[in-house]
Amino acid sequence: MVNVDEKLEPILQEVLRRNAGELEFHQAVREVLESLGRVIAKHPRYLENALIERICEPERQIIFRVPWVDDEGRVQINRGFRVQFNSALGPYKGGIRFHPSVNVGIIKFLGFEQTFKNALTGLPIGGGKGGSDFNPRGRSDGEIMRFCQSFMIELHRHIGEYIDVPAGDIGVGGREIGYMFGQYKRLTNRYEAGVLTGKALFYGGSRARTEATGYGNTYFVQSMLATKGESFDGKKVVVSGSGNVAIYTVEKVQSFGGKVIAISDSSGYVVDENGIDLKLLKEVKEVRRARIADYLKLKGEGKGAYFVKADNGTIWDVPCDVAMPSATQNELTGADAKTLVANGVMAVGEGANMPSTPEAIRIFQEAGVLFAPGKAANAGGVATSALEMQQNASRDSWTFEQTEARLATIMRNIHDTCAGTADEYGAPGDYVLGANIAGFVKVAQAMDALGII
Ligand code: NAP
């Protein structure tokens, strides 16, 4: 494990004490503080006025009850969260996650990471995150709608286009954003398009937002590969998950000539030696909202594809040149990293937030694998959300090509900023250090300028 600088260690200890039991939040803070020793050695003023302590403390945390009625007429209770982490650079911005694992520590880790990610985009957005322990799996459309409406009854008091702008995340896509926007509009009597992003095109959404996170990660990895004179062309790629991020990663990798050979969900993974059939994947996941094993059922047995249950192995057992974890936090362990390295992986791009454990990251870096941390590599989603806010503010609607071109430029800039910062701080090729320092400095400078807030 990398050590935290002795001047920063007491700050970390206070975060651990004050947020007892919030393991993912501890992990996210530790990773950033590990990178900051070199910054405070160069710029000791960042230790003044408890600046780092303030960055580690959310500005506001809201926890609320979400009662709703299921299809059998039973009253269900879930817990809702919104953590407004940092607004030094702009209104809070970050997704909403519906998953049974959600708790305040997970939302805080996501909000903390989001603050630096948003800073890296160069766009005027602060960091926040929200969600609920509601499990959408197996719920009817009516149940999803009633849940989203109840969630918004409380959330609407805390958001607004100049206050806090939520979007989607795990379990929250276009359908849920639609239900939440409808309820917000009804409660406030305002058509405030910029209050939520990830909207459908016909009521203020942006072209390329659905694709943006997966496409963005692919652009980032393309830039990393280019530093070694490599490209996606002909590479075997494994993408975990099969949700929004994963599907559009597959799409972009294929367009760059890569061959995606495996995808997954929480029930297991599918290997398709001929390359994943994107049309089929979309049919299974976007249209039928089915399980990944159904990919095989629809494709038919004996056509070069097979399914492995989650209990019988991990997708990281599949040999590949490029790994793009796009499901959830800590899905790629130290043991998985060892397998990937032994199988010759050359690059890893994190589409999900914090999918690699600290041990896995260390193993990749020590083996000289190009490693792109999520807070840089998956920033394309939020960047395009900020472009959606721009279009809403100017009542404009850009073409797909225009929007994707902006996304591509933003991702290349983030890549170059991370690489350049790593060079500047004496750690060439260390994208983790580069992303943490570059994101931190942007937030820190703004906080410094705004006084003790
Ligand atoms: P999504 O559409 O809900 O898809 C999530 C996928 O991950 C599903 O295939 C899901 O499988 C799988 N998954 C979730 N929990 C899992 C677990 N514990 N083990 C194995 N698989 C699991 O969500 P998403 O928007 O693609 O988000 C994926 C990741 O990207 C998250 O870390 C999210 O924070 C991050 N991210 C998303 C965006 C965005 O724009 N959407 C932007 C930046 C970062 P099941 O259906 O079986 O649960």
Side-chain angles (χ1 to χ4, degrees):
M1 189 186 285
V2 186
N3 285 330
V4 171
D5 184 278
E6 61 181 21
K7 295 199 181 74
L8 299 170
E9 185 61 36
I11 301 176
L12 176 62
Q13 290 309 319
E14 181 58 10
V15 170
L16 303 190
R17 188 196 65 77
R18 190 180 251 172
N19 303 280
E22 298 176 3
L23 300 183
E24 291 83 1
F25 183 50
H26 298 174
Q27 184 181 336
V29 173
R30 182 187 293 277
E31 188 208 282
V32 170
L33 294 189
E34 279 172 359
S35 298
L36 296 189
R38 294 176 199 231
V39 184
I40 56 161
K42 240 184 180 176
H43 307 288
R45 67 190 172 84
Y46 287 133
L47 281 171
E48 290 167 16
N49 297 325
L51 181 68
I52 298 174
E53 288 89 329
R54 281 185 285 141
I55 285 182
C56 293
E57 179 68 16
E59 288 177 19
R60 190 173 298 107
Q61 304 180 55
I62 303 145
I63 303 184
F64 50 100
R65 180 169 69 201
V66 190
W68 57 283
V69 182
D70 69 18
D71 284 348
E72 274 72 52
R74 282 188 304 252
V75 175
Q76 302 274 354
I77 305 294
N78 285 101
R79 187 171 285 179
F81 302 90
R82 187 74 188 164
V83 173
Q84 298 179 328
F85 221 106
N86 195 302
S87 61
L89 289 171
Y92 311 103
K93 180 95 198 79
I96 291 177
R97 175 177 293 191
F98 292 164
H99 193 271
S101 63
V102 163
N103 58 41
V104 70
I106 287 185
I107 299 299
K108 263 154 82 174
F109 117 65
L110 290 164
F112 182 73
E113 290 249 305
Q114 193 83 46
T115 300
F116 304 109
K117 178 189 310 189
N118 294 2
L120 284 172
T121 67
L123 298 163
I125 39 179
K129 199 83 187 188
S132 172
D133 57 4
F134 171 68
N135 186 0
R137 177 146 352 125
R139 291 292 178 193
S140 69
D141 256 10
E143 289 178 317
I144 301 278
M145 182 182 74
R146 290 194 293 280
F147 177 80
C148 288
Q149 290 179 335
S150 182
F151 186 80
M152 189 49 86
I153 284 178
E154 176 60 36
L155 189 68
H156 88 280
R157 303 175 218 280
H158 310 289
I159 62 174
E161 63 178 317
Y162 295 108
I163 303 168
D164 183 355
V165 182
D169 191 77
I170 292 179
V172 177
R175 173 180 58 169
E176 293 75 17
I177 293 291
Y179 293 147
M180 286 193 266
F181 183 71
Q183 185 73 341
Y184 181 86
K185 187 173 79 61
R186 189 177 174 207
L187 289 164
T188 59
N189 196 28
R190 280 166 64 84
Y191 203 104
E192 192 184 325
V195 70
L196 285 168
T197 59
K199 300 181 294 293
L201 282 183
F202 44 85
Y203 69 91
S206 172
R207 290 188 176 80
R209 174 61 188 92
T210 306
E211 294 82 356
T213 309
Y215 277 24
N217 187 22
T218 313
Y219 280 121
F220 195 103
V221 174
Q222 184 194 41
S223 296
M224 279 202 311
L225 289 170
T227 65
K228 303 281 179 206
E230 293 279 358
S231 76
F232 270 107
D233 201 28
K235 298 281 182 310
K236 281 193 175 181
V237 182
V238 166
V239 179
S240 66
S242 49
N244 171 263
V245 178
I247 289 173
Y248 292 94
T249 302
V250 174
E251 185 165 293
K252 202 65 187 171
V253 167
Q254 289 182 344
S255 80
F256 286 163
K259 186 172 175 187
V260 180
I261 51 166
I263 38 144
S264 64
D265 65 16
S266 59
S267 62
Y269 65 91
V270 162
V271 177
D272 192 336
E273 298 292 357
N274 301 315
I276 292 295
D277 179 339
L278 182 64
K279 207 165 153 234
L280 192 56
L281 174 63
K282 287 185 176 179
E283 171 67 26
V284 173
K285 286 294 175 180
E286 292 186 335
V287 180
R288 301 187 183 208
R289 297 180 188 271
R291 310 304 295 150
I292 201 65
D294 290 294
Y295 176 95
L296 211 62
K297 282 189 200 147
L298 289 181
K299 180 167 172 125
E301 296 287 338
K303 294 184 182 159
Y306 59 92
F307 171 68
V308 179
K309 266 192 179 172
D311 295 342
N312 299 335
T314 126
I315 192 169
W316 310 120
D317 294 339
V318 180
C320 61
D321 303 307
V322 181
M324 303 179 81
S326 306
T328 195
Q329 64 273 357
N330 292 326
E331 55 162 308
L332 197 165
T333 64
D336 298 328
K338 280 186 192 149
T339 309
L340 283 163
V341 169
N343 287 333
V345 73
M346 67 170 67
V348 177
E350 293 191 324
N353 285 310
M354 213 167 74
S356 312
T357 64
E359 193 196 357
I361 298 173
R362 186 181 52 75
I363 290 165
F364 288 137
Q365 291 188 322
E366 284 177 6
V369 173
L370 293 164
F371 178 80
K375 69 168 75 69
N378 72 35
V382 74
T384 309
S385 276
L387 301 182
E388 184 172 332
M389 291 162 71
Q390 281 184 31
Q391 292 169 77
N392 293 151
S394 58
R395 305 213 188 289
D396 199 357
S397 175
W398 306 345
T399 63
F400 194 96
E401 291 68 28
Q402 210 177 347
T403 319
E404 195 191 344
R406 290 282 301 268
L407 168 67
T409 305
I410 290 168
M411 292 316 297
R412 293 198 178 108
N413 286 343
I414 296 175
H415 172 272
D416 295 351
T417 300
C418 295
T421 306
D423 285 347
E424 183 189 336
Y425 283 86
D430 186 340
Y431 289 90
V432 174
L433 188 109
N436 285 337
I437 294 182
F440 166 80
V441 167
K442 282 196 170 158
V443 178
Q445 279 176 340
M447 285 185 72
D448 216 13
L450 299 183
I452 311 281
I453 55 165

